[in-house]
């Protein structure tokens, strides 16, 4: 099995920055896609950013230019740097790992942005 543990969430003022971290452990493949999704209150979960083990990245249009996803394959860790935070970024941020036909999720980390 695979475990994903997120950290780095918290309360931040609008305009501030946060760095989220997700560490993966367990039976991991060399080829995978790791990324971040978020779910705001009353809304569906949505993609924020993903990065493959081959360095291909993809960002949601709503965060492009403010978010950077990076990955340390040796540490099985993915990071999400969010700058210029806005109140609408408030959500639970979930780490996701896709490998083979399997899809894994972390428990999430709450990001709250105050205006």
């Amino acid at each position: 099995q695979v475990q994903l543990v997120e950290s780095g969430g918290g309360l931040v003022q609008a305009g501030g920055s946060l760095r989220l971290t997700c560490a993966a452990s367990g039976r991991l493949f060399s080829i995978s896609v790791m990324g971040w999704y978020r779910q705001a209150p009353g809304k569906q979960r949505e993609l924020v950013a993903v990065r493959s083990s081959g360095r291909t990245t993809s960002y949601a249009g709503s965060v492009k230019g403010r978010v950077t996803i990076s990955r340390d394959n040796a540490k099985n860790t993915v990071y999400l740097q969010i700058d210029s935070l806005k109140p609408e970024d408030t959500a639970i941020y979930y780490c996701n790992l896709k490998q083979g036909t399997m899809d894994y999720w972390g428990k999430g980390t709450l990001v709250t942005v105050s205006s």
Side-chain angles (χ1 to χ4, degrees), residues 26-45:
R27 190 168 179 263
L28 301 174
F29 298 174
S30 59
I31 298 174
S32 65
V33 177
M34 293 186 75
W36 294 91
Y37 291 71
R38 68 185 182 185
Q39 187 166 15
K43 295 188 176 180
Q44 290 189 331
R45 192 173 296 188

Side-chain angles (χ1 to χ4, degrees), residues 13-82:
Q13 286 189 333
S17 298
L18 275 180
R19 188 192 196 209
L20 306 181
T21 300
C22 172
S25 62
R27 190 168 179 263
L28 301 174
F29 298 174
S30 59
I31 298 174
S32 65
V33 177
M34 293 186 75
W36 294 91
Y37 291 71
R38 68 185 182 185
Q39 187 166 15
K43 295 188 176 180
Q44 290 189 331
R45 192 173 296 188
E46 63 177 5
L47 168 75
V48 178
V50 292
R51 184 175 175 117
S52 73
S53 48
R55 302 184 183 181
T56 300
T57 59
S58 180
Y59 294 95
S62 59
V63 299
K64 209 166 188 178
R66 300 191 294 119
V67 166
T68 303
I69 188 169
S70 58
R71 179 170 173 171
D72 186 332
N73 290 332
K75 295 182 179 180
N76 298 313
T77 300
V78 65
Y79 307 92
L80 187 72
Q81 177 72 32
I82 316 173

